[in-house]
Amino acid sequence: MKKNIAIIMGGYSSEYKISLKSGHVVYTYLDKEKFNLYPIHIFKDKWVYVDDAGTETPIDRNNFSIQLDGTSITFDCVFNAIHGTPGEDGLMQAYFNLLNIPHTSCGFYQAALTFNKRDLLSVLKAYGIKSAPAYYLNLGDDINETEIIEKVKLPCFVKANKSGSSYGITKVYKKEELKNAIETAYKEDDEIIIEGFLEGTEVSVGVLKINGETTVLPITEIVSENDFFDYEAKYEGKSQEITPARINDEQLANVTAVSKKIYNILKMTGFSRSEFIFIGNEPYLLEVNTTPGLTTESILPQQAQKAGISLTQLFENAITEALS
């Protein structure tokens, strides 16, 4: 019997277009001889199954099922391709846990924690994971520019705390630029993280489980044509992504060990992609993504390809692990 696989995509955030692309790639490359595939668009105003003709069938949210030709279709597994809320922050994970439906992403706690950059870095600091000096603000807090700059120095990055894909991020060089940067970040989130600038090689590290073993994929070096790895650099070709990264053996060993340690400490499942900057040979963590881009140009699929893993194998493995 072929298993019914729901591929959820879209979401409620600025990242929905990228998510739709990721979901379409998953739908294209998964083996339709092995699985019955159902692309499902999750938006604030509708949850719908969209067939190849573009016909929409509403999802019954009571049990995450659809009615097709008088038959109720339920799902053996959900492939999560939603970047941002509600697919990357724990909401969908908790929903599927309640319904006892296996899914390809991490648990709801891990998703919520990694989506919150401030909380993630605070938890991992206790395990010796290094990160940049940081200052936190919530909407409505007094903004003490002198205090901020004393803590993080200039230049610094002002980021939305709970937002992926480099939305709401500004690199600040002068004190006078700080207020505008904070306002930009508040458009994405009511919490902000302001981090000191780290000068060094930036790398992205994909980690997943294969046959139950935590596996680190070949590492990618990020060289942005822009001032930093912003949305344009990430999604509009304004960066070089070099896999394997041009790093020395000690850097490679250190970042591989740290990435695996983070994945295991957090008891992760599914895909993760962590971003680091090297200071000397030491990797400093920027963030962890738990539903990274899965388009053919995205970093994690590129890394898998370098490891000799096709997209079909990569996506099928995610389902196998979820069902194991």
Side-chain angles (χ1 to χ4, degrees):
M1 284 281 288
K2 290 205 287 190
K3 294 199 181 296
N4 293 339
I5 308 297
I7 304 166
I8 59 171
M9 60 191 88
Y12 305 165
S13 77
S14 315
E15 301 175 72
Y16 77 92
K17 286 183 183 172
I18 304 298
S19 171
L20 291 174
K21 279 188 186 175
S22 288
H24 181 69
V25 169
V26 173
Y27 178 69
T28 301
Y29 281 89
L30 269 174
D31 189 344
K32 294 171 182 66
E33 296 296 312
K34 291 185 181 176
F35 306 110
N36 298 316
L37 302 177
Y38 297 85
I40 290 172
H41 293 192
I42 304 281
F43 294 114
K44 277 183 180 167
D45 59 343
K46 62 183 179 181
W47 290 20
V48 289
Y49 159 58
V50 184
D51 69 14
D52 289 342
T55 306
E56 296 184 353
T57 304
I59 298 289
D60 181 344
R61 300 191 200 187
N62 292 303
N63 61 356
F64 200 70
S65 67
I66 52 174
Q67 292 288 327
L68 288 182
D69 304 321
T71 303
S72 180
I73 308 282
T74 57
F75 301 102
D76 299 294
C77 183
V78 174
F79 195 111
N80 181 9
I82 296 178
H83 315 312
T85 187
E88 197 165 5
D89 58 359
L91 295 179
M92 295 305 293
Q93 290 87 343
Y95 169 72
F96 291 126
N97 275 25
L98 286 170
L99 294 177
N100 204 26
I101 301 173
H103 55 85
T104 59
S105 47
C106 59
F108 63 89
Y109 168 74
Q110 287 81 358
L113 178 67
T114 51
F115 198 67
N116 188 312
K117 297 180 185 80
R118 301 186 332 193
D119 289 358
L120 174 72
L121 296 172
S122 299
V123 165
L124 291 175
K125 194 173 185 179
Y127 291 92
I129 307 298
K130 297 180 172 71
S131 57
Y135 189 100
Y136 303 158
L137 281 174
N138 292 337
L139 188 61
D141 285 354
D142 290 335
I143 298 166
N144 186 329
E145 293 164 332
T146 304
E147 188 176 277
I148 292 167
I149 290 163
E150 275 176 10
K151 177 87 184 279
V152 301
K153 308 293 185 283
L154 289 173
C156 65
F157 286 103
V158 180
K159 304 177 181 179
N161 184 42
K162 304 187 298 289
S163 173
S165 286
S166 306
Y167 283 101
I169 180 169
T170 310
K171 189 173 181 183
V172 171
Y173 289 90
K174 299 175 188 166
K175 187 177 180 179
E176 305 86 77
E177 299 167 351
L178 202 50
K179 274 213 168 113
N180 276 344
I182 289 167
E183 282 169 20
T184 299
Y186 276 143
K187 285 174 189 165
E188 287 294 324
D189 190 17
D190 61 359
E191 297 175 1
I192 287 178
I193 179 168
I194 303 172
E195 290 181 317
F197 170 63
L198 300 175
E199 181 80 65
T201 302
E202 182 170 352
V203 295
S204 187
V205 187
V207 186
L208 70 162
K209 283 242 169 55
I210 299 176
N211 298 324
E213 288 291 315
T214 303
T215 304
V216 178
L217 294 171
I219 288 152
T220 299
E221 179 183 347
I222 308 294
V223 184
S224 177
E225 288 174 27
N226 293 354
D227 199 16
F228 60 94
F229 195 46
D230 60 4
Y231 183 88
E232 255 194 349
K234 196 175 279 189
Y235 293 120
E236 295 173 7
K238 300 278 185 168
S239 69
Q240 269 186 293
E241 293 155 8
I242 301 161
T243 312
R246 300 167 300 180
I247 54 178
N248 66 43
D249 290 348
E250 190 175 345
Q251 289 173 327
L252 176 62
N254 288 348
V255 81
T256 300
V258 167
S259 302
K260 192 178 275 196
K261 182 178 178 181
I262 289 168
Y263 193 95
N264 290 336
I265 284 168
L266 298 178
K267 299 177 183 166
M268 291 286 295
T269 50
F271 302 123
S272 83
R273 201 193 71 228
S274 302
E275 319 297 330
F276 297 89
I277 285 182
F278 282 107
I279 304 298
N281 291 328
E282 288 300 316
Y284 281 64
L285 179 66
L286 300 178
E287 62 178 11
V288 175
N289 303 284
T290 59
T291 51
L294 297 172
T295 69
T296 49
E297 304 83 32
S298 296
I299 291 171
L300 193 125
Q302 286 181 40
Q303 294 174 338
Q305 192 176 16
K306 286 285 179 189
I309 301 167
S310 70
L311 286 181
T312 299
Q313 290 169 324
L314 182 70
F315 301 150
E316 188 174 323
N317 175 74
I319 292 167
T320 303
E321 288 292 328
L323 292 171
S324 63

